[in-house]
Amino acid sequence: MLDATLKTQLQQQYLTKLTEPVELVSSLDDRPKSREMAELLEEIAGLSDKITYRRADDDARRPSFAVTRPGADISIRFAGIPMGHEFSSLVLALLQVGGVPVKEDAETLEAVEHLDGDYEFVTYMSLTCQNCPTVVQALNAMAVLNPRIKHTAVEGSLFQDEIEERRILAVPTIYLNGEEWGSGRTDMKQFVERLDHHAAARTAEKLDEREPYEVLVVGGGPAGASAAIYAARKGIRTGMACERIGGQVLDTLAIENHISQVYTEGPTLGAAYGAHMSAYDIDQIPGVRASRLIPGEDGDLHTVEFEGGGRLRARTVILATGARWRTLGVPGEADYRNKGVSFCPHCDGPLFKGKPIAVVGGGNSGVEAAIDLAGVTEHVTVVEFLDQLKADDVLLRKLDSLPNTEVITSARTTEVDGDGKQMTGLQYEDRTTGELRTLDVDGVFVQIGLLPNTDWLKGSVELTPRGEIVINQKGETDIPGIYGAGDCTTVPFKQIVVAEGSGATAALSAFDHLIRTPAPVAAAAH
């Protein structure tokens, strides 16, 4: 199953790092996928004398296999064949079970090792989901670190009965000890925050202990990463606080307009941001969400407070908190989110195989989603508020060529119907006649644009009615020493490369401000 290049890479670059024996133990049935799994495991075992493979048929989920270390209590299982986006999860599992240290900060590693309780996680994922590997890899690593944590990654399309029984319509969906626990991209720090009741207090204490920065960047996406790098290159004390390094880029699959890269994917670019920042003296603080900005008066330090407690202070602050998916704001939408209402066609599309679905939004993202979904679903209906679609002509021609798609224009979505457990239909108003109609669909993918993540800034800096931070051509807000960059601002054209440029502009403007402004006494002492 592995091509020659991949085998060579595994054998010569990765599996040579193993210091402990690894055993692959399969549970198979008569399906073709079981034969494929056996072939894959035999190939991997043949690449290293540290890896062995045997068939045991000791697990109810088939085909599946465990990655174990003889004599150690480690419970990691893949129910399905981890190729596609999940192949990296398999490689990391082999390495970590085989003795390669888990890469994470010491505080998080210690917190995982000391978690008190028995945790049996099951992650439902798809091989086309770019967010699923973060969850799978985090839980696998936690199972290596703590024997009381067990994890199984289930490939949804291969276990349809289980998916239907649990009514799973979005990935990644995470179960803990038999109960639904969460969904969406979740990293190790976020797992610790939820499982360890003392984690938030420790995080707040660590924030309060930090000395003031000359530049504090809030946000870890393209704008934030660019701003932090440009600031650090000036040799000034730079901090970055964010929910996740990479920001919304991590939720993007194909990227074909990032200059110098013909093609890349969001998680790859997000990881590159992190690696680039790590080459400089940047105090990166992921896993925190800003809750309040307190501008300094008369040249005093600015303060950013965070959810759960803790604050950071800085002479200048760059706001680069990005944007989030815009929601429909209709009855039923929140009730059936991840139960039919979805925002990521790449992640959740395979769960709607053979089912009728709708896409709300006729711009480029909506039409691209419809084209992708037409390949796996029974039928796709594009619902657009305006009287015509706004997407590029090349996309409209492709959509028109597909036999299982249709377009409804001048339609105002009014409600998401459901049976209490999952979505069953979508209501809309025909804006030309006022007639209310219903689409019998099992899912809806919302693709109607973005909203800036600026609710926490109301009353501190000037915002537009849409919530965008008002900035000038230098990235300056209405508060001296506070700057904005990227999709959360009035910068036109919400594109990755535009955000990167605006982040650089904000950092250079902040540096110019610093060299022309006397430092407050509290900051000058450091």
Side-chain angles (χ1 to χ4, degrees), residues 289-316:
R289 177 182 291 183
S291 61
R292 186 185 179 199
L293 171 65
I294 306 173
E297 297 182 0
D298 300 324
D300 290 340
L301 293 169
H302 305 296
T303 300
V304 177
E305 295 181 346
F306 295 86
E307 293 183 3
R311 63 179 187 173
L312 296 173
R313 295 173 298 155
R315 290 182 62 191
T316 62

Side-chain angles (χ1 to χ4, degrees), residues 410-473:
S410 299
R412 182 176 68 88
T413 303
T414 57
E415 188 169 352
V416 176
D417 295 329
D419 60 8
K421 294 183 178 180
Q422 68 183 53
M423 175 185 170
T424 58
L426 187 72
Q427 295 187 31
Y428 70 93
E429 176 191 16
D430 186 327
R431 294 176 57 240
T432 60
T433 65
E435 181 181 358
L436 289 176
R437 298 178 180 177
T438 299
L439 287 174
D440 292 325
V441 292
D442 291 334
V444 58
F445 289 80
V446 182
Q447 302 283 298
I448 55 174
L450 301 169
L451 286 176
N453 295 318
T454 57
D455 292 344
W456 65 286
L457 292 171
K458 291 178 180 178
S460 58
V461 295
E462 183 183 0
L463 305 175
T464 68
R466 288 194 66 249
E468 295 175 323
I469 302 168
V470 177
I471 61 172
N472 62 17
Q473 62 184 2

Side-chain angles (χ1 to χ4, degrees), residues 106-372:
E107 184 181 349
T108 301
L109 294 176
E110 183 180 4
V112 171
E113 290 170 355
H114 290 89
L115 283 174
D116 186 22
D118 295 310
Y119 306 94
E120 185 168 348
F121 286 97
V122 176
T123 302
Y124 292 93
M125 52 83 173
S126 76
L127 302 182
T128 58
C129 170
Q130 68 269 28
N131 290 320
C132 293
T134 298
V135 174
V136 172
Q137 291 167 20
L139 289 173
N140 283 350
M142 291 168 67
V144 171
L145 294 167
N146 188 330
R148 301 182 71 178
I149 299 173
K150 306 180 187 304
H151 180 231
T152 300
V154 179
E155 204 273 286
S157 66
L158 202 55
F159 292 86
Q160 282 292 330
D161 290 346
E162 199 167 334
I163 292 293
E164 294 289 342
E165 180 183 350
R166 289 189 161 178
R167 296 175 180 262
I168 292 170
L169 293 173
V171 290
T173 292
I174 307 162
Y175 272 67
L176 172 58
N177 296 337
E179 300 293 331
E180 187 169 345
W181 184 83
S183 62
R185 189 184 187 95
T186 311
D187 60 26
M188 192 182 297
K189 287 179 179 291
Q190 292 168 320
F191 278 110
V192 169
E193 288 282 347
R194 288 192 60 182
L195 298 173
D196 183 352
H197 300 302
H198 303 292
R202 288 199 304 271
T203 297
E205 183 179 354
K206 293 288 185 183
L207 292 174
D208 289 338
E209 290 174 352
R210 283 174 159 84
E211 299 293 337
Y213 300 99
E214 291 177 286
V215 173
L216 173 63
V217 180
V218 185
S226 175
I229 290 168
Y230 265 75
R233 284 175 58 85
K234 292 295 185 181
I236 54 181
R237 177 168 163 74
T238 302
M240 168 190 275
C242 63
E243 292 186 59
R244 51 184 184 162
I245 302 295
Q248 197 196 21
V249 159
L250 300 174
D251 301 327
T252 305
L253 188 58
I255 298 172
E256 298 175 304
N257 58 358
H258 191 245
I259 309 306
S260 82
Q261 294 175 294
V262 175
Y263 177 87
T264 189
E265 296 182 351
T268 302
L269 184 58
Y273 289 144
H276 196 170
M277 287 190 290
S278 295
Y280 295 98
D281 188 14
I282 299 170
D283 187 14
Q284 299 179 49
I285 312 170
V288 295
R289 177 182 291 183
S291 61
R292 186 185 179 199
L293 171 65
I294 306 173
E297 297 182 0
D298 300 324
D300 290 340
L301 293 169
H302 305 296
T303 300
V304 177
E305 295 181 346
F306 295 86
E307 293 183 3
R311 63 179 187 173
L312 296 173
R313 295 173 298 155
R315 290 182 62 191
T316 62
V317 175
I318 297 175
L319 306 170
T321 46
R324 64 190 182 277
W325 292 113
R326 185 182 174 195
T327 59
L328 295 168
V330 300
E333 180 183 27
D335 298 331
Y336 296 106
R337 183 161 184 169
N338 297 329
K339 297 298 181 183
V341 178
S342 180
F343 297 86
C344 180
H346 303 294
C347 299
D348 302 335
L351 300 177
F352 294 86
K353 184 177 181 179
K355 298 177 180 180
I357 60 99
V359 173
V360 178
N364 283 344
S365 61
V367 173
E368 286 173 353
I371 292 169
D372 287 342

Side-chain angles (χ1 to χ4, degrees), residues 1-15 40 43 47 82-84 87 91:
M1 292 186 65
L2 305 177
D3 61 39
T5 301
L6 191 52
K7 284 184 180 179
T8 300
Q9 189 177 32
L10 282 173
Q11 188 172 37
Q12 297 182 3
Q13 296 184 26
Y14 294 105
L15 300 184
L40 173 65
E43 284 185 327
L47 299 176
M83 300 300 286
F87 188 70
V91 174

